[in-house]
Every structure is written in structure tokens, then in C-alpha cells.
Amino acid sequence: MKIVFDHFAELYKYRVLIESLVWRDVKARYRGSVFGFLWTFLNPLILLLVYRAIFKYVTQAVDMPYYAVFLFVGLLPWLWLAGSATNGSISITQNGALITRACIPPQVLPAVVVLSNLVNFLLALPVAVGAALFYQLYPTPWLVLLPLVIAIMLVFLYGTALFLSAITVHFRDVQFLVQNLILVWFFLTPIAYDLAQAPAAKYRKYFLANPATALLVPFQQLFYHRTAPDPAYLGLAAAWAVVVAFVGIKVFEAMRDTLVEEL
Amino acid sequence: MTDDIAIRVEGVTKRFKKYRSITAGRTSLKTAAVEWLRNRRTAYHRLTDPNRFDVLRDVSFDVRRGETVGLIGRNGAGKSTLLKMIAGIYRPDAGKITVNGRVAALIELGAGFHPDFTGRENILINALILGLSKRQVAERFDRIVQYAEIDDFIDAPVRAYSSGMFMRLAFSVAIHVDPEILLIDEVLAVGDEAFQQKCLATIEERVRSKRQTTVIVSHDLDLVGKLCDKLVLLQPPSVLVSSEPQRAIQEFRHLLSQATRV
């Protein structure tokens, strides 16, 4: 347990640097572009329209009211997840100078990736809320649980990014593996389709073995179904988050001394 | 540790991996997993790993508070490795390094500089990385810009800087960190000749003031002879001589002449 405590104590000590790096990350993404910050909204919006067009008109697989809203509230946290995993895995190999030239605790790097993706998620969230309001899907008081849902996701993603970043230093193949698996993972997660409408009910338990399902469905319940987030999902998501974060920290700390030398 | 010792290096050993070919040091995921499981049982230790060699073995010396110590030796003697261990970047495989005071390292300048961001933005991040607080950066900001002599360019992205300007700004941030213990790896001076004189003058002034403890890695023997109170001559993988500058330099020159004669 001490290892976990020390791990976070170091992060806390460097919180000002983390904060500055997160803002720089957020700003860097669109620096130099004409639309600048607008891309934070435009990117998910364009993606949304493309997915919507495909699923609604091309495959016609989904028959759901307000499908755009459904898709959007699942897609935004998914983008946070996908960004954290893919950029998290290369966070140490790409920004190695910070830990080989200066004595910065290496966990700062994956932490910055997860947090800057969180900021992008939060900045795009008003678009989802706007779309919901447009279809007169007014939010319910359950929305007060949103910070909890986000916090669980944050813990899960931090653990994931830690694990992937450390492994990638030793096995550069992991970054390419992640990029490809993310694509498969997307379709295995009920984002573009509703789990209740998944082909056969007997497969549902397999979907629940996917942590992304437990993490993302509460977002859909809050914004689209406008119900309380299912406690079973929340519990499952929290369990995943704790386990992944714990394993992530353990693996990261075990590899820590070799990280600087392998860069 | 007595109060007048700033850095104590005790029996430090560091081992690095031998890379016989690009893949020799690397393992597949499967072998790594198998080895990890096996090593858990057989008490693997880097000190006995045949795939590693000693960069430094059983190195010991003290640096007193306010003292300036130079590390000299041939390429690959482990000078930079030692400096990085004092900075806390590497950990020793055996032995102990105790550091008494706030450290800043001028190892490679401009850590964390982002080309798309302005000098102003980069100063903040770079200074935070080197260990200043946000308030300290604000206090020293004007001095940093003035010292770097880049006034007009401070709000331009650093990718628009000439390489000299880039180095001047990076050096200026580093020198204004003003730590209790300064570690310098070769970057004693940057920019054109006039600016280099200024850098050296600043470092000399710091060294003479005796407020700051300094460890310098350099191949410029005349310079370290002039600046340092003591020189540590590394001959892989150990310390050959640790003495007042002139004796160590003499010894090192002797070593070099022997090596080149062959």
C-alpha cells in the first residue's frame, strides 16, 4: 500500500507542473490552426455526423429515437478512453527528455495525457448536452452523479495509461498493438448500438466482461435514457478501475528504474 | 552526514546493459514474462547479470558545501552517468548517494521546450521542470529574458528562434534557477563568443561566491583547473585520482598520452 501512497504523493508534489503541461497539451492540439479552439467542438461533431450517417442510412442497423444523442454521449467518453490509451502508451517514449534530462517522476507523463484528454472530453460535453436539449431530452437530477462516473473512468484510464506507457518503453510493439485493438474494442463496446438491442440476450454477459461497457453505459443512462446510472454497472466499473489502477501502479513502479535507462 | 557535506557518494556501482546488436538487449514479451517469473524465485540481481557491465564500480567521494568539484576522464568513463545519479535521474545499483540541498542539473538544455509555444510559455514549463515554483518564475521572469537577450522574440514561438537564441534562452532559465547544488554537464557556455564569455563569467562568479556547491563534467581541462577546488579523475570503472586540480590534470594527461601512443 505504501507504494501506492508514495506514487500519488509524488504526483501531488508536481501538481503545478502537471497542470501547466495539461493546459499546454490542450492548447498544443490546435495551435496554429485557423479555427483553433473550435476544433475541440468540431472534431467530435464531424465524427458524430459521419457515424450517424453510416448507421442510420447506410447500414440501417439501428432503429432508435434520437440516435444522434445516443451515439454522442457514448462517443465522447470513448474518445477520452481511446486517446488516453493510444497517447498514454507513447507518453514516456515520446517525451523521454523530461525524465532523462530532468528529475521528473515518470508517472507525470501518462497522468498528463489522461488529464488533457479529460479536459477535451469536458470541453466537448456541452455539445452533447446541447444536442440532448435540442431533442428536448432534458437532464434529470441524477446528473449530480456525473462527477462520480467521471472519477471512476479517470482512475481506470490512469491505471491503463501507466501500464501501457511502461510496457511500451521495453516493447515498442505495444503502441501499434494498442492502436489496432482500440478499433476492435470500439465495436465490441455498445457505443453505436444499445446493449438492450444487442443481437441476442445470451451474449450480454460477454459484453459485461468488457470494462468499457461498464464505464460507458452510465454516461448513456445519465444523458440519453435519463435514468439513474445502474448501480451494478457503477460497481463493476469501480471494481475494474481499482484493479486496473492497482496493477498499473505495481507494474509501473516495478519497471520504474529501468524506464530512464531504456529510453 | 555532517552539515558541511553537500554530496556524499559512497561505494556507488552502476551497471548498464550490453547491446551486442539492436535486438540482443531486447526480449520478446513471452521471454520477458517467463524470465520475470523465474527471476522472482532465483533472486535476480543486476549486480550479477552477465549481460551487464560495470560503468562505475565502488566509486566514493565527498563534495563539501560551497566546493566546486570537476569530474574528468575519457569518453565513456561514466562522468555523465555519475552526474545523472547525483541528480536523481538514475539510481545506483549498489552504494548510496546522499545529497544535501536543492539540486538543479544543466545536463541537456531546454528540457520540455515545445517548438510551437512562445519563449514566454516555455520559460514557465522549463523552470517548473528544473524545480522552481510558479511564483519564483514570475519573480525571475524579467531577469531571465534580459539575460538571454531575446527581448523582441519572447512572444514568438521558439521554432522561429535561431539555434543560438534557443540555447541562450534555455541557458538563461537554467542559470536563474539558482540552486544550492548545481550540476553541469559540458554546457558551461552557449551562443556566440560574447555570450559565452557572459555565461562563463556568471558561472565563475557563482563558484567564487562559495554559496553554491557545483559539480562540473567537462573536457576543458584548463577551465576545470581554474574553476574547481578538486578534481575526480575517472578511469573506467573506478576513481583513479581524487585530488587538487593540478595533480589530477597531470595524471589525466599522462593517461591520455599513454592511450594515444598505442
Side-chain angles (χ1 to χ4, degrees):
Chain A
M1 235 26 227
K2 188 177 178 296
I3 196 174
V4 177
F5 180 79
D6 289 347
H7 181 93
F8 284 113
E10 276 183 317
L11 275 186
Y12 182 73
K13 194 175 154 211
Y14 281 87
R15 63 193 180 282
V16 181
L17 175 64
I18 294 174
E19 189 195 317
S20 308
L21 287 172
V22 166
W23 284 116
R24 186 171 82 171
D25 235 25
V26 172
K27 284 191 271 178
R29 203 158 303 191
Y30 305 112
R31 174 110 341 169
S33 62
V34 177
F35 285 130
F37 225 58
L38 260 181
W39 279 111
T40 315
F41 307 102
L42 285 176
N43 260 340
L45 202 65
I46 292 168
L47 201 61
L48 165 76
L49 293 175
V50 171
Y51 278 124
R52 186 189 133 84
I54 290 173
F55 284 99
K56 192 96 182 174
Y57 303 110
V58 181
T59 76
Q60 298 203 320
V62 205
D63 181 28
M64 277 176 86
Y66 319 117
Y67 181 63
V69 176
F70 174 80
L71 192 57
F72 211 32
V73 298
L75 203 55
L76 289 186
W78 170 261
L79 290 175
W80 177 21
L81 183 153
S84 300
T86 47
N87 296 326
S89 72
I90 53 172
S91 59
I92 292 181
T93 46
Q94 303 254 299
N95 298 298
L98 285 196
I99 59 173
T100 56
R101 295 179 183 185
C103 190
I104 302 294
Q107 65 263 40
V108 163
L109 300 172
V112 165
V113 167
V114 173
L115 289 173
S116 65
N117 276 286
L118 166 63
V119 172
N120 279 313
F121 166 75
L122 292 176
L123 287 173
L125 203 57
V127 184
V129 174
L133 291 177
F134 177 79
Y135 288 110
Q136 299 183 328
L137 298 171
Y138 299 114
T140 66
W142 288 113
L143 213 58
V144 296
L145 288 179
L146 181 64
L148 175 68
V149 179
I150 289 177
I152 293 172
M153 180 105 167
L154 180 65
V155 173
F156 177 87
L157 291 181
Y158 179 60
T160 309
L162 268 186
F163 178 80
L164 293 175
S165 66
I167 299 278
T168 303
V169 172
H170 289 270
F171 309 100
R172 306 286 162 114
D173 319 62
V174 171
Q175 53 185 306
F176 308 112
L177 222 72
V178 171
Q179 285 164 15
N180 288 296
L181 285 179
I182 282 286
L183 201 63
V184 181
W185 199 3
F186 173 78
F187 288 101
L188 289 178
T189 307
I191 297 165
Y193 51 88
D194 191 358
L195 191 54
Q197 296 181 345
K202 62 174 177 175
Y203 293 125
R204 197 175 300 172
K205 59 173 182 283
Y206 299 114
F207 279 94
L208 287 176
N210 170 5
T213 306
L215 288 162
L216 296 194
V217 168
F219 285 99
Q220 296 165 340
Q221 288 169 332
L222 280 176
F223 287 101
Y224 177 77
H225 300 292
R226 289 175 301 140
T227 59
D230 188 336
Y233 280 92
L234 280 185
L236 196 60
W240 270 110
V242 171
V243 170
V244 167
F246 188 72
V247 171
I249 291 172
K250 277 287 202 188
V251 169
F252 193 87
E253 292 296 332
M255 297 181 120
R256 181 169 178 154
D257 283 356
T258 58
L259 291 181
V260 194
E261 291 165 29
E262 290 288 329
L263 279 175
Chain B
M1 189 150 89
T2 50
D3 226 30
D4 64 330
I5 301 289
I7 303 166
R8 169 160 285 172
V9 178
E10 287 170 285
V12 163
T13 294
K14 184 72 187 170
R15 291 169 66 83
F16 277 152
K17 218 185 252 179
K18 292 178 199 164
Y19 284 91
R20 289 191 197 85
S21 72
I22 190 70
T23 49
R26 301 207 173 275
T27 36
S28 74
L29 271 172
K30 198 183 91 192
T31 12
V34 171
E35 273 180 8
W36 182 69
L37 286 171
R38 191 189 302 146
N39 292 335
R40 274 163 62 91
R41 273 182 280 126
T42 57
Y44 164 81
H45 207 281
R46 289 164 63 136
L47 288 174
T48 53
D49 187 340
N51 291 317
R52 287 178 182 271
F53 68 100
D54 290 342
V55 181
L56 295 164
R57 189 190 303 145
D58 200 19
V59 170
S60 302
F61 62 91
D62 284 344
V63 181
R64 303 164 75 86
R65 198 168 290 285
E67 200 174 33
T68 300
V69 170
L71 302 178
I72 55 174
R74 305 191 61 198
N75 289 327
K79 306 182 294 291
S80 297
T81 304
L82 191 51
L83 203 71
K84 282 188 171 183
M85 281 196 285
I86 296 172
I89 295 170
Y90 291 154
R91 290 185 206 183
D93 290 328
K96 203 172 120 200
I97 294 180
T98 325
V99 175
N100 207 343
R102 205 164 57 83
V103 181
L106 272 72
I107 291 184
E108 284 160 79
L109 293 175
F113 267 40
H114 190 301
D116 284 339
F117 284 81
T118 64
R120 187 183 295 279
E121 291 165 315
N122 276 308
I123 287 176
L124 173 67
I125 300 248
N126 190 232
L128 288 175
I129 287 167
L130 292 172
L132 286 188
S133 72
K134 229 173 177 168
R135 215 192 49 195
Q136 285 172 318
V137 183
E139 282 167 7
R140 297 171 199 197
F141 187 82
D142 291 337
R143 272 186 286 153
I144 292 174
V145 178
Q146 203 186 13
Y147 188 92
E149 302 169 16
I150 53 153
D151 353 66
D152 288 348
F153 279 85
I154 192 63
D155 286 310
V158 296
R159 65 179 147 78
Y161 286 25
S162 73
S163 50
M165 286 165 67
F166 183 95
M167 292 307 282
R168 262 161 30 209
L169 182 61
F171 186 89
S172 179
V173 179
I175 204 73
H176 282 91
V177 169
D178 203 8
E180 288 159 350
I181 300 170
L182 181 66
L183 309 177
I184 304 176
D185 192 349
E186 294 289 358
V187 276
L188 287 147
V190 298
D192 57 26
E193 206 182 332
F195 198 81
Q196 286 186 16
Q197 293 303 326
K198 181 158 115 173
C199 298
L200 287 175
T202 311
I203 288 183
E204 235 186 299
E205 180 225 297
R206 294 283 180 81
V207 165
R208 301 259 176 266
S209 75
K210 298 284 172 194
R211 274 184 298 110
Q212 180 182 274
T213 309
T214 317
V215 180
I216 303 175
V217 166
S218 179
H219 287 289
D220 188 337
L221 293 180
D222 293 335
L223 187 71
V224 286
K226 197 172 70 161
L227 286 177
C228 297
D229 304 309
K230 189 170 92 180
L231 290 184
V232 176
L233 170 57
L234 292 170
Q235 164 76 337
S238 305
V239 175
L240 191 66
V241 183
S242 169
S243 70
E244 52 83 30
Q246 288 322 312
R247 217 192 105 209
I249 289 176
Q250 217 170 28
E251 195 80 31
F252 187 36
R253 292 222 157 104
H254 177 65
L255 205 76
L256 286 172
S257 65
Q258 272 186 327
T260 41
R261 224 179 289 151
V262 182

